[in-house]
Amino acid sequence: EAQVTQNPRYLITVTGKKLTVTCSQNMNHEYMSWYRQDPGLGLRQIYYSMNVEVTDKGDVPEGYKVSRKEKRNFPLILESPSPNQTSLYFCATRDTWTYEQYFGPGTRLTVT
Amino acid sequence: DAKTTQPPSMDCAEGRAANLPCNHSTISGNEYVYWYRQIHSQGPQYIIHGLKNNETNEMASLIITEDRKSSTLILPHATLRDTAVYYCIVRVNTNAGKSTFGDGTTLTVKP
């Protein structure tokens, strides 16, 4: 079964404590992406990766890092989280030449 | 990517067809129309896409006007579980990385 998994699903943390949200897909897709969703602001793209070792900024990359060392995984790293990064985060993947994206279940992050 | 315009909200009676419109008057010849939906706080779900011809799958039908300036997503027999935000997105099938979702239409299916 085609799957995009994210961990953790829920996380409450404190300002400044580094955290990583993992994303994994089993569809052998080259493209992966991270979004955040906030009330009234919709889905906004943070970073995307076109292939292993290739990443690029989306619309709201400040305060985030990503890495793509293998095709199936695309972790999102918050080196020093702040309360304005409290949000619902989604990882997505798609085949390169189509816009048919598959999203993970989401990670709800609260930074106090 | 072409800009899309969708009504902010719509209601539909359970069991009736839900017809969700999308205007994309600046669409280019090689741009596809994609539809997604997002049930409250879940990850968006791909529904259907098309270029020129009408398309149908197990979830919905997509009707694209002949001039391609607008389209309609049809859920033939809406259920309460179809209550969601529906996004219409127009873009070329390239490997371009950036991705944008608009505000979508909030469809509420009522008993």
Side-chain angles (χ1 to χ4, degrees), chain B:
Chain B
D1 301 339
K3 180 178 169 53
T4 61
T5 303
Q6 299 178 253
S9 63
M10 293 181 63
D11 291 342
C12 176
E14 188 178 20
R16 305 297 292 268
N19 297 289
L20 294 103
C22 180
N23 285 322
H24 32 79
S25 58
T26 61
I27 192 169
S28 301
N30 60 348
E31 287 183 311
Y32 287 74
V33 181
Y34 281 83
W35 283 85
Y36 284 80
R37 74 178 183 184
Q38 186 176 22
I39 296 168
H40 180 64
S41 293
Q42 295 183 20
Q45 177 188 24
Y46 164 80
I47 301 173
I48 198 168
H49 75 280
L51 182 64
K52 293 181 185 177
N53 300 320
N54 299 337
E55 301 287 344
T56 295
N57 63 19
E58 64 278 4
M59 289 182 67
S61 294
L62 173 60
I63 309 297
I64 302 174
T65 57
E66 194 168 339
D67 63 7
R68 302 211 322 122
K69 293 185 176 183
S70 66
S71 60
T72 301
L73 179 75
I74 300 172
L75 309 178
H77 305 287
T79 71
L80 299 179
R81 288 176 296 178
D82 292 321
T83 292
V85 179
Y86 288 78
Y87 299 97
C88 169
I89 301 161
V90 171
R91 61 171 286 152
V92 180
N93 271 357
T94 74
N95 62 351
K98 276 210 170 181
S99 173
T100 303
F101 281 69
D103 295 329
T105 296
T106 299
L107 174 69
T108 303
V109 181
K110 299 186 173 181

Side-chain angles (χ1 to χ4, degrees), chain A residues 11-20 78-86 109-112:
Chain A
L11 179 61
I12 301 174
T13 189
V14 296
T15 299
K17 185 176 180 183
K18 181 179 179 179
L19 66 93
T20 299
L78 285 72
E79 297 260 354
S80 182
S82 63
N84 65 11
Q85 293 178 298
T86 292
L109 172 66
T110 301
V111 183
T112 61

Side-chain angles (χ1 to χ4, degrees), chain A residues 80-95:
Chain A
S80 182
S82 63
N84 65 11
Q85 293 178 298
T86 292
S87 187
L88 180 57
Y89 291 87
F90 292 105
C91 177
T93 181
R94 64 172 170 88
D95 212 349

Side-chain angles (χ1 to χ4, degrees), chain A residues 33-53:
Chain A
S33 180
W34 276 103
Y35 297 84
R36 63 177 288 175
Q37 187 169 37
D38 305 286
L41 294 177
L43 273 163
R44 294 180 292 168
Q45 193 178 37
I46 303 170
Y47 269 95
Y48 62 91
S49 170
M50 303 290 289
N51 211 333
V52 174
E53 302 292 1

